[in-house]
């Protein structure tokens, strides 16, 4: 007998899909929600196959995920046949052998390739971008990132030539240094802002065809954010600007600055 207020999940799904890690963490969060609102109810002679009509904003709010990130993840899962959609109703496709794993660059939105993630709302906002980027200070400069893969390719590689053992070690050392700098600098942000930075990085990655960004690029963005947070001198205001940018899928330091400026102007007026 199924306990009250419980949702049954097939053993095959628990072992063959969930236990084996066929779904990412964010995919699992969405799938659990879909299962809750489908199999969590009794249908005619069986558990319900489909959810009721669900609003994506409500899903995002209920599971604590940014709506922009949830949209991208669901769109990708629909294309990969992990989720079946009918109107605004969802169904989890438990037949994983029929899934299609596509690279991030193939993710579509409304049948079109995702080339721009900046929403129409953002495009209407007038943003005065700074003429020059914020100067990077102390040891958190871009010197290390400049010595990364591009440096090795330009200096040491010729067409058809492979990396030498020394160059491979140099590349590994540079990556370790950058990763250490990212970890140290990220630790200077409040924990809640650290979570928002992860989404900010993800939005920046989605602008690339590969769907990823290098560690050097992460460090650059992190330096920009840290400098802006210090200049703002108000963590709540900075967090608000970062959350606004994430909501619209924007990874642009000028946009954050404009949001902060507009918010300050509202307060003064």
């Amino acid at each position: 007998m199924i306990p009250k207020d419980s949702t049954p999940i097939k053993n095959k799904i628990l072992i063959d899909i969930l236990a084996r890690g066929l779904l990412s963490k964010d995919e699992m969060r969405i799938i659990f929600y879909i299962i809750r609102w489908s199999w969590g109810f009794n249908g005619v002679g069986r558990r319900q196959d489909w959810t009721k009509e669900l609003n994506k904003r409500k899903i995002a709010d209920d599971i604590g995920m940014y709506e922009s990130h949830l949209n991208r993840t669901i769109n990708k899962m629909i294309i990969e046949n992990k989720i079946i959609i009918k109107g605004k109703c969802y169904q989890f496709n438990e037949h994983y052998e029929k899934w299609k794993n596509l690279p991030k660059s193939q993710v579509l939105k409304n049948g079109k390739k995702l080339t721009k993630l900046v929403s129409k709302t953002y495009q209407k906002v007038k943003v005065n971008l700074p003429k020059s980027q914020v100067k990077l200070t102390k040891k958190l400069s871009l010197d290390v990132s400049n010595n990364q893969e591009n440096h090795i390719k330009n200096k040491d590689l010729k067409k058809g030539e492979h990396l030498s053992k020394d160059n491979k070690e140099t590349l590994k050392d540079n990556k370790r240094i950058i990763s250490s700098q990212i970890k140290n600098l990220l630790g200077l942000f409040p924990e809640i802002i650290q979570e928002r930075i992860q989404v900010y990085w993800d939005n920046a990655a989605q602008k690339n065809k590969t769907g990823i960004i290098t560690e050097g690029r992460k460090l650059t963005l992190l330096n920009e954010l840290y400098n802006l947070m210090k200049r703002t001198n108000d963590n709540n205001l900075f967090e608000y600007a970062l959350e606004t940018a994430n909501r619209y899928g924007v990874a642009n330091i000028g946009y954050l600055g404009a949001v902060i400026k507009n918010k300050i102007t509202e307060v003064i007026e």
Side-chain angles (χ1 to χ4, degrees):
M1 180 179 177
I2 300 175
K4 185 180 179 181
D5 297 327
S6 299
T7 300
I9 300 180
K10 298 177 183 178
N11 291 334
K12 182 178 180 181
I13 292 176
L14 289 174
I15 300 301
D16 293 351
I17 296 178
L18 301 180
R20 291 188 178 180
L22 299 189
L23 295 169
S24 69
K25 176 184 175 182
D26 288 339
E27 288 176 338
M28 288 177 65
R29 293 169 64 188
I30 294 171
I31 290 303
F32 281 140
Y33 190 85
I34 290 175
I35 288 177
R36 164 65 184 90
W37 291 104
S38 54
W39 299 350
F41 297 90
N42 284 315
V44 180
R46 58 176 297 175
R47 287 283 162 174
Q48 216 170 266
D49 287 331
W50 295 88
T51 68
K52 61 180 181 180
E53 289 192 354
L54 295 175
N55 180 283
K56 287 184 179 179
R57 176 166 295 180
K58 176 171 172 51
I59 298 176
D61 289 341
D62 286 350
I63 67 176
M65 183 182 293
Y66 284 105
E67 188 178 354
S68 59
H69 183 59
L70 178 126
N71 278 329
R72 288 194 298 274
T73 305
I74 285 183
N75 289 335
K76 179 174 180 289
M77 293 177 73
I78 291 172
I79 294 170
E80 293 179 343
N81 207 31
K82 295 174 181 177
I83 292 177
I84 302 171
I85 187 171
K86 181 171 64 177
K88 292 185 178 181
C89 301
Y90 297 85
Q91 180 184 106
F92 171 48
N93 182 11
E94 61 188 277
H95 305 291
Y96 58 90
E97 67 278 1
K98 295 181 180 180
W99 293 356
K100 301 174 184 178
N101 291 320
L102 302 177
K104 291 184 178 180
S105 59
Q106 296 293 321
V107 178
L108 308 179
K109 184 176 182 180
N110 298 327
K112 298 180 180 179
K113 191 169 182 180
L114 278 175
T115 55
K116 295 183 179 179
L117 291 178
V118 179
S119 69
K120 291 182 180 178
T121 304
Y122 167 57
Q123 292 173 359
K124 293 178 181 179
V125 177
K126 294 182 179 180
V127 179
N128 295 320
L129 298 178
K131 294 181 179 180
S132 60
Q133 295 295 329
V134 179
K135 293 182 179 180
L136 303 180
T137 57
K138 301 180 182 180
K139 294 182 180 180
L140 298 170
S141 67
L142 294 180
D143 291 339
V144 176
S145 61
N146 290 333
N147 288 326
Q148 209 181 5
E149 296 175 82
N150 290 335
H151 173 77
I152 292 176
K153 287 181 181 179
N154 293 333
K155 185 176 180 180
D156 301 312
L157 291 182
K158 294 181 180 179
K159 196 171 183 179
E161 184 181 358
H162 295 288
L163 282 171
S164 68
K165 184 177 180 180
D166 289 340
N167 285 335
K168 287 181 179 179
E169 290 301 319
T170 301
L171 182 57
K172 288 181 180 179
D173 288 341
N174 287 338
K175 286 183 176 180
R176 280 195 291 267
I177 293 172
I178 293 174
S179 296
S180 177
Q181 288 186 328
I182 290 175
K183 182 179 179 181
N184 292 336
L185 184 54
L186 194 60
L188 299 178
F189 292 87
E191 187 173 345
I192 185 64
I193 294 180
Q194 290 182 31
E195 296 176 3
R196 283 158 174 48
I197 289 174
Q198 297 291 338
V199 178
Y200 188 82
W201 279 338
D202 182 59
N203 288 333
Q206 295 303 322
K207 293 182 180 180
N208 299 330
K209 291 182 178 180
T210 59
I212 59 175
I213 57 174
T214 64
E215 293 296 286
R217 179 58 179 159
K218 281 187 177 182
L219 182 58
T220 300
L221 295 173
L222 200 56
N223 271 291
E224 291 177 347
L225 292 173
Y226 181 74
N227 285 323
L228 180 60
M229 184 178 72
K230 284 299 182 183
R231 291 200 308 273
T232 304
N233 198 29
D234 185 334
N235 288 351
N236 291 331
L237 179 56
F238 176 77
E239 182 187 347
Y240 166 80
L242 185 56
E243 185 176 7
T244 301
N246 287 341
R247 187 182 306 123
Y248 295 126
V250 181
N252 183 292
I253 198 67
Y255 178 77
L256 268 74
V259 172
I260 291 172
K261 182 179 179 180
N262 291 339
K263 192 67 175 176
I264 293 175
T265 302
E266 288 178 10
V267 173
I268 294 176
E269 293 178 348

